Amino acid sequence: MTKFLSDNAAPVHPKVWEAMRVADEADNPYDGDAHSAQLDERFTDLFGRECAGLWVATGTAANCLALGTMVHPHGAVVCHEEAHIEVDEGGAPGFYLHGAKLMLAGGEGAKVTPEGIAALIDPIRDDVHQVQPHAIAITQASEYGRTYAPKEIAALSAFAKKRGLGLHMDGARFANSAAFLGGSAANAAGNVDSLAFGFIKNGGMSAEAVVLFDPEQAAQVKYRRKRAGHLQCKGRYLAAQILAMLHGDLWLENARHANAAAQDIASGCTERLMHAVEANELFVRLSPEEREALRSQGFEFYDWGDDAARFVTAWNTRAEDASALGKAIASL
């Protein structure tokens, strides 16, 4: 079977395995090791502005720990109605943020806009009887595989600052958006306050990064990370994974490969595509019978409602498999 289920289904990149093997020697526990000590500098170099980087084991934790620096228990996070933190994190934001609310905005391609957010929050009275927004969370790439352009992030950042709101980016597929935009991490992140930088979907094993563009917030997140049960005793193995992905821009190389495979498949989908392909996900209109026909040819993927399917490529997707799927869809 040829898997297009999720980039989570892909194996760990060999260079990540090798980095963990090299790190497999005695060192200081928790985050006091030599590998963890390099993260701040490496992320500062990557983004071209001072920042702090902390490892955690999941994207859920990365999102929630970062949002915890911006949102009080009596406040709210504004996000898209189909955002991962709303639909796929099992209520974790409310748990980590001690009851803070998610306020849901609409937007084409699962992307929010300043205008859409304003329409949602402007009617809220400034009094103790109504929950007040404290932050905005956006996803890069979005839940429909759409990428925020730098000008869109700049507009959201300006809006957030004008309204006194924090701006967080869920970057589970951040690398794919950066690759789509030309390869600059700084352009793909813009002027956000924090970023959950995803590595697991892009060839990592068990490490994601919380990147804080206000380094003073790192001290708060370190306490929150411990309290949340994410301060691992042998943190050097997580740090080693992240450093391996950053070294030589492996994170970007892997994302470019996945994006190219997605574009190859897209060439066979034409008018079936529900959204522009701007990362490594494709949402394709297919009837139940057409989906069964594809599965009978050995392709694995997830249904997306009654009349569509989602296909996800990864760092290890073979070019011939992507081409075969594109041709199979075109022939339906």
Side-chain angles (χ1 to χ4, degrees):
M1 301 295 285
T2 305
K3 294 185 182 296
F4 293 96
L5 294 166
S6 171
D7 32 14
N8 282 327
V12 176
H13 194 281
K15 290 183 178 179
V16 173
W17 280 119
E18 175 61 16
M20 287 191 288
R21 188 196 66 77
V22 171
D24 192 23
E25 60 183 11
D27 203 335
N28 292 335
Y30 303 108
D31 59 355
D33 60 281
H35 294 84
S36 297
Q38 299 179 50
L39 293 180
D40 290 359
E41 182 179 358
R42 296 299 299 276
F43 281 116
T44 294
D45 290 344
L46 182 66
F47 288 100
R49 57 176 170 138
E50 187 180 5
C51 56
L54 291 81
W55 44 255
V56 292
T58 69
T60 298
N63 283 324
C64 295
L65 291 172
L67 287 168
T69 69
M70 308 174 189
V71 184
H72 295 296
H74 59 274
V77 179
V78 178
C79 65
H80 193 275
E81 60 191 1
E82 296 191 59
H84 199 274
I85 59 173
E86 161 65 13
V87 177
D88 288 300
E89 292 189 345
F95 174 78
Y96 276 90
L97 302 179
H98 306 290
K101 181 179 179 180
L102 297 180
M103 293 181 175
L104 308 180
E108 191 269 333
K111 296 197 294 183
V112 296
T113 64
E115 296 76 17
I117 296 171
L120 176 68
I121 67 176
D122 282 352
I124 298 172
R125 300 189 311 273
D126 184 14
D127 66 43
V128 297
H129 298 284
Q130 297 201 316
V131 175
Q132 305 298 310
H134 290 176
I136 300 167
I138 61 177
T139 311
Q140 182 80 306
S142 83
E143 283 69 24
Y144 282 128
R146 300 291 301 278
T147 288
Y148 284 92
K151 65 180 182 180
E152 293 176 304
I153 302 173
L156 285 163
S157 176
F159 175 86
K161 284 179 171 52
K162 183 178 180 181
R163 299 299 185 96
L165 305 172
L167 181 60
H168 170 69
M169 178 177 283
D170 176 350
R173 295 186 174 93
F174 176 78
N176 302 96
S177 284
F180 177 78
L181 293 171
S184 167
N187 282 344
N191 197 31
V192 298
D193 298 306
S194 62
L195 165 69
F197 196 144
F199 292 98
I200 295 173
K201 286 181 168 65
N202 196 30
M205 177 183 173
S206 59
E208 308 276 69
V210 183
V211 181
L212 301 156
F213 295 100
D214 178 358
E216 292 184 5
Q217 297 285 7
Q220 180 186 156
V221 174
K222 286 181 178 180
Y223 278 96
R224 290 177 177 271
R225 178 175 65 175
K226 172 62 177 178
R227 187 171 183 266
H230 276 271
L231 180 59
Q232 296 199 23
C233 300
K234 297 182 179 180
R236 61 188 180 275
Y237 295 100
L238 281 76
Q241 294 176 56
I242 294 170
L243 292 174
M245 293 290 288
L246 295 179
H247 182 71
D249 283 342
L250 179 62
W251 68 280
L252 197 55
E253 176 187 331
N254 286 355
R256 283 172 171 156
H257 178 92
N259 286 10
Q263 290 296 332
D264 197 2
I265 298 168
S267 66
C269 298
T270 59
E271 72 280 356
R272 291 180 180 272
L273 285 174
M274 300 168 64
H275 301 280
V277 181
E278 298 174 350
N280 64 321
E281 293 180 284
L282 303 97
F283 298 84
V284 184
R285 295 183 182 89
L286 293 165
S287 69
E289 293 76 20
E290 289 171 329
R291 281 175 275 160
E292 182 57 33
L294 291 175
R295 289 188 170 108
S296 71
Q297 296 176 59
F299 299 109
E300 290 188 276
F301 51 89
Y302 288 124
D303 292 339
W304 201 260
D306 295 332
D307 57 357
R310 186 191 76 162
F311 302 90
V312 184
T313 56
W315 70 268
N316 69 320
T317 298
R318 300 190 309 171
E320 56 266 36
D321 291 337
S323 179
L325 176 58
K327 290 176 181 177
I329 293 172
S331 67
L332 291 173

